[in-house]
């Protein structure tokens, strides 16, 4: 027959016989003439769970598992020992170096560290606040710029041009330079209502710089969503903005989450650039302390605080990156 | 026969200088299943997209139950709510669970409360043999399960007309049957369907009528039995012998 292989279970109207497919609960009693195939798709789905729970690993598998475990133990030992040995070598080299005593005194003074830490911590709280405020603004503005850049509405041409120029310029200027320009230039204009607190000026500079990066990341995300997804949404009757909000944007963000997080981590660190404007954030506090006692240990304290925040964030970003890679592979394998 | 549910008259569609559909006339009556067959590039997908207003037609009219869909003053988003569509691939939204895929349109387009939308969706999933998959994301489903979920989603808004575009062509042969079963079941329940397919055996089983498309022109149209077993037009004969030979 011409439809031999591809329609195994199709029970058309003139074909009442239940096809010879393995059906777990054969209900031959009343094959209601009106609904020949209503129950047909069901058998393909379930019938897993119970069988899997009862499965007991065979002796061979148990042996394999024992071997894998001992191998893992051995690998852990090797990794730990080699790391220790490496760190020991590094420490020995440092201590043996001619300048060690000086460095030890200047950078690793425990008393100095303890004395400075509370104030640095207080300063760091300002870094965290600057980060949070800047981040919120960057996300909103970055999305706006990205959307302007991807829309094709002819009326938005001037805006699109402005967005392109903005991104080009502000990605090209070093962030520190922007902090100087905004921090000293904006107040010098003496415009009505310009903020004067240095930390606010610093946040403005960071927002200007990072919005350009984040906008580009989000734009890449928006463009990575398959056009068929938009069609599918429109076909369901979703309006343009509903499609953007419920279908395109979630996928866009999901696709670029790792680079987005990397930008956040960079931003968190760059809040220290605002120190040049003078607000008492962690680096500035450490600097004051260091100048006062001619001891650089406070810098180490500030560095540790930044690390304490960025390392967990980095781990999260790594995990998301791996997950994204897995998902891409799974989707490609279909 | 009274007024057909879908009435297409003199439909023209061009892409650039290329004419893809030429004076297409086609009616689909209520509860009727019409299959579009034809070679690759003959215009089947384009025709379905024009009916769903995903493409703008260059000439001609499309009426759905007395409303002219091709009227530019008509809000396309509103018109589309009466039509359900399943494409060949990339149907489901990968960031949503199967259940959320199905309830999205009822909730945000039709304002159905979440609980009620989910109840309806569960009913549909059970009917299509996907009851245990509602929490899964699409990438955890097999191709056949994905297409069945896509059908469930298209049905969730209770469309008057269902458009299916080669919904089995991206599937492995053993998965084709389970999806086609669902379509046969929909026909039993009185759904009106216009579908593009290259499953000739299936077309013969479910189609009330078959249209053969070539270069954007309907060359032959008739009952499934007549077109598929006793084609009149030479190009239909050529096409059929080509696809049937491949098996
Ligand atoms: N967006 C587009 N832009 C330009 N040309 C297009 C576009 N979509 C389709 N076409 C052209 O229109 C013609 C008909 O395409 P269509 O997708 O309708 O064919 P089809 O019958 O569905 O083919 P298949 O069986 O391969 O799916 C093809 O020649 C195709 O190249
Ligand atoms: Mg097609």
């Amino acid at each position: 027959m011409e439809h031999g292989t591809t329609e195994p279970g199709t029970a058309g109207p003139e074909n009442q016989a239940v096809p010879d497919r393995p059906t777990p609960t054969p209900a031959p009693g009343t094959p209601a003439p009106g609904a020949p195939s209503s129950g047909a798709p069901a058998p393909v789905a379930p019938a897993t769970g119970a069988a899997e729970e009862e499965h007991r690993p065979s002796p061979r598998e148990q042996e394999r598992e024992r071997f894998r475990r001992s191998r893992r133990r051995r690998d852990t030992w090797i990794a730990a020992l080699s790391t220790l040995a490496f760190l020991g070598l590094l420490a020995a080299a440092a201590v043996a170096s001619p300048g060690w005593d000086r460095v030890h005194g200047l950078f690793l003074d425990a008393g100095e560290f303890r004395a400075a830490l509370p104030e640095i911590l207080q300063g760091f709280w300002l870094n965290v606040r600057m980060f949070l405020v800047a981040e919120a603004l960057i996300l909103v503005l970055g999305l706006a710029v990205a959307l302007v850049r991807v829309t094709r509405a002819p009326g938005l041409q001037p805006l699109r041009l402005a967005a392109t120029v903005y991104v080009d310029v502000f990605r090209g200027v070093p962030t520190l330079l922007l902090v100087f320009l905004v921090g000293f230039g904006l107040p010098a204009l003496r415009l009505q209502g310009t903020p004067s607190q240095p930390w606010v000026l610093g946040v403005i500079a960071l927002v200007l710089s990072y919005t350009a990066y984040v906008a580009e990341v989000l734009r890449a995300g928006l463009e990575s969503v398959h056009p068929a997804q938009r069609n599918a949404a429109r076909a369901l009757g979703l309006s343009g903005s509903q499609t953007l909000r419920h279908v395109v944007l979630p996928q866009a963000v999901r696709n670029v989450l790792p680079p987005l997080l990397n930008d956040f981590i960079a931003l968190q660190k760059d809040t220290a650039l605002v120190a040049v404007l003078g607000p008492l954030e962690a680096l500035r506090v450490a600097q004051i302390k260091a100048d006062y006692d001619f001891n650089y240990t406070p810098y180490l304290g500030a560095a540790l605080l930044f690390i304490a925040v960025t390392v967990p964030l980095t781990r999260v970003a790594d995990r998301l990156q791996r997950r994204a890679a897995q998902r891409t592979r799974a989707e490609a394998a279909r | 026969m009274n007024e057909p549910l879908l009435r297409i008259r003199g439909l023209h569609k061009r892409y650039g200088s290329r004419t893809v559909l030429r004076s297409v006339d086609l009616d689909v009556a209520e509860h009727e299943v019409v299959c579009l067959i034809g070679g690759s590039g003959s215009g089947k997908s384009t025709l379905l997209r024009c009916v769903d207003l995903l493409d703008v037609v260059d000439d001609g009219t499309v009426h759905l139950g007395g409303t002219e869909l091709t009227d530019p003053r008509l809000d396309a988003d509103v018109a589309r709510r009466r039509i359900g569509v399943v494409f060949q691939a990339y149907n489901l939204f990968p960031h949503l669970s199967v259940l959320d895929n199905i309830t999205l349109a009822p909730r945000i387009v039709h304002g159905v409360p979440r609980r009620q939308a989910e109840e309806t969706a569960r009913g549909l999933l059970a009917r299509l043999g996907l009851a245990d998959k509602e929490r899964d994301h699409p990438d955890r489903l097999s191709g056949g399960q994905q297409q069945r979920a896509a059908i469930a989603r298209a049905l969730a808004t209770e469309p008057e007309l269902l458009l299916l575009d080669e919904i089995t062509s991206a599937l492995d042969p053993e998965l084709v049957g389970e999806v086609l079963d669902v379509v046969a079941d929909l026909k039993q329940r009185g759904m009106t369907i216009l579908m593009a397919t290259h499953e000739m055996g299936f077309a013969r089983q479910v189609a009330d009528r078959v249209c053969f498309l070539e270069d954007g022109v309907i060359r032959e149209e008739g009952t499934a039995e007549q077109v598929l077993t006793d084609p009149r037009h030479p190009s239909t004969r050529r096409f059929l012998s080509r696809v049937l030979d491949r098996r």
Side-chain angles (χ1 to χ4, degrees), chain B residues 116-162:
Chain B
Q116 193 186 328
E118 290 188 345
E119 212 167 286
T120 313
R122 289 205 177 92
L124 280 168
L125 285 173
R127 202 171 113 198
L128 303 196
L130 292 169
D132 55 338
K133 300 290 181 202
E134 63 170 65
R135 287 278 146 231
D136 281 339
H137 279 245
D139 57 356
R140 305 285 301 270
L141 303 186
S142 76
Q145 289 166 342
Q146 285 180 26
Q147 287 302 61
R148 282 186 278 146
I151 294 173
R153 190 179 67 181
L155 294 174
T157 51
E158 295 176 5
E160 296 164 50
L161 171 70
L162 197 58

Side-chain angles (χ1 to χ4, degrees), chain B residues 39-46 48-49 88 165-166 169 196:
Chain B
S40 184
S42 55
K44 307 180 292 291
S45 301
T46 307
L48 294 176
R49 274 203 307 275
Q88 179 175 342
D165 189 4
E166 304 206 15
S169 66

Side-chain angles (χ1 to χ4, degrees), chain A residues 286-299:
Chain A
Q287 202 178 14
I288 291 168
K289 290 265 164 208
D291 287 353
Y292 189 78
D293 281 347
F294 297 110
N295 186 295
Y296 300 121
T297 309
Y299 286 130

Side-chain angles (χ1 to χ4, degrees), chain A residues 2-3 6-7 9-10 21 34 37 40 44-45 226 229 234-236 238-239 242 246-247 250-251 254 334, chain B residues 52 77 80 90 92-95 108-109 129 139 146 148 153 176 180-181 185 188 199 201 204-205 247:
Chain A
E2 70 255 43
H3 54 95
T6 48
E7 288 89 29
T10 315
R21 196 193 273 179
S37 61
V44 288
H226 199 285
Q229 289 284 311
R234 301 311 293 274
L236 283 171
L238 273 69
S239 68
Q242 286 170 333
H246 294 279
V247 175
Q251 291 186 54
R254 195 186 78 156
R334 267 195 234 150
Chain B
D52 201 32
D77 292 336
R80 274 197 286 260
Y90 296 112
L92 297 173
F93 304 131
H95 63 297
I108 72 170
V109 179
D139 57 356
Q146 285 180 26
R148 282 186 278 146
R153 190 179 67 181
V176 170
L180 295 184
D181 283 352
D185 178 47
Q188 288 298 314
E199 302 286 342
R204 193 155 149 209
Q205 278 185 8
R247 307 217 160 193

Side-chain angles (χ1 to χ4, degrees), chain A:
Chain A
M1 276 305 280
E2 70 255 43
H3 54 95
T5 53
T6 48
E7 288 89 29
T10 315
E14 71 283 296
N15 181 8
Q16 292 295 348
V18 177
D20 54 353
R21 196 193 273 179
T23 315
T25 47
T30 50
S37 61
S38 55
V44 288
T48 41
E52 261 166 40
E53 273 159 7
E54 283 164 24
H55 178 75
R56 212 174 268 269
S58 69
R60 178 80 186 111
E61 175 57 28
Q62 287 172 6
E63 187 208 317
R64 273 199 299 249
E65 187 47 40
R66 269 196 302 279
F67 174 74
R68 281 193 212 108
R69 229 174 297 148
S70 79
R71 182 49 73 84
R72 270 199 299 273
R73 254 199 314 274
R74 205 191 66 179
D75 290 354
T76 315
W77 272 111
I78 294 177
L81 286 177
S82 61
T83 310
L84 272 178
F86 180 71
L87 289 178
L89 269 176
L90 220 66
V95 172
S97 69
W100 171 247
D101 281 339
R102 222 174 105 71
V103 168
H104 184 80
L106 275 179
F107 284 90
L108 301 170
D109 187 324
E112 193 67 44
F113 186 82
R114 266 196 301 278
L117 197 61
E119 273 179 67
I120 299 177
L121 201 61
Q122 229 167 33
F124 192 67
W125 175 231
L126 178 59
N127 290 83
V128 172
R129 273 178 301 164
M130 287 196 289
F131 169 70
L132 292 175
V133 173
E135 191 55 64
L137 290 171
I138 288 165
L139 278 177
V140 173
L141 296 174
L143 181 60
V145 173
L147 286 175
V148 166
R149 291 203 73 186
V150 297
T151 50
R152 275 176 279 275
L156 290 180
Q157 183 58 33
L159 258 183
R160 204 157 34 238
L161 207 70
T164 310
V165 171
Y166 161 74
V167 167
D168 284 352
V169 168
F170 282 80
R171 275 202 312 178
V173 179
T175 310
L176 182 58
L177 197 67
L178 263 178
V179 172
F180 275 125
L181 281 177
V182 174
F184 298 127
L186 206 56
L189 293 177
R190 297 179 190 233
L191 291 172
Q192 275 286 308
T194 46
S196 57
Q197 292 118 302
W199 78 270
V200 177
L201 291 167
V203 164
I204 293 175
L206 290 176
V207 167
L208 281 176
S209 175
Y210 273 84
T211 295
Y213 288 103
V214 168
E216 282 306 275
V217 170
L218 286 175
R219 183 168 75 111
L222 289 171
E223 282 170 355
S224 73
V225 177
H226 199 285
Q229 289 284 311
R230 225 170 293 236
N231 260 355
R234 301 311 293 274
L236 283 171
L238 273 69
S239 68
S241 58
Q242 286 170 333
T243 299
L244 180 67
R245 169 145 171 255
H246 294 279
V247 175
V248 176
L249 208 51
Q251 291 186 54
V253 171
R254 195 186 78 156
N255 289 350
V256 295
L257 208 49
L260 213 51
L261 266 177
N262 281 334
D263 278 352
F264 292 179
I265 293 165
L267 172 68
Q268 160 62 21
K269 284 189 304 178
D270 278 357
T271 53
L273 294 178
V274 180
V276 298
L277 301 180
L280 291 177
E281 52 74 63
L283 176 57
R284 182 79 191 123
V285 171
Q287 202 178 14
I288 291 168
K289 290 265 164 208
D291 287 353
Y292 189 78
D293 281 347
F294 297 110
N295 186 295
Y296 300 121
T297 309
Y299 286 130
L300 187 75
L304 287 179
L305 288 178
F306 278 103
I307 289 176
V309 171
T310 48
V311 165
L313 275 178
T314 314
R315 288 285 88 77
V316 173
D318 281 354
R319 171 119 38 96
L320 288 172
Q321 189 115 46
R322 256 199 313 277
R323 272 241 303 272
Q326 270 167 12
R327 207 164 39 214
T328 317
R329 272 198 298 277
E331 273 160 22
R334 267 195 234 150

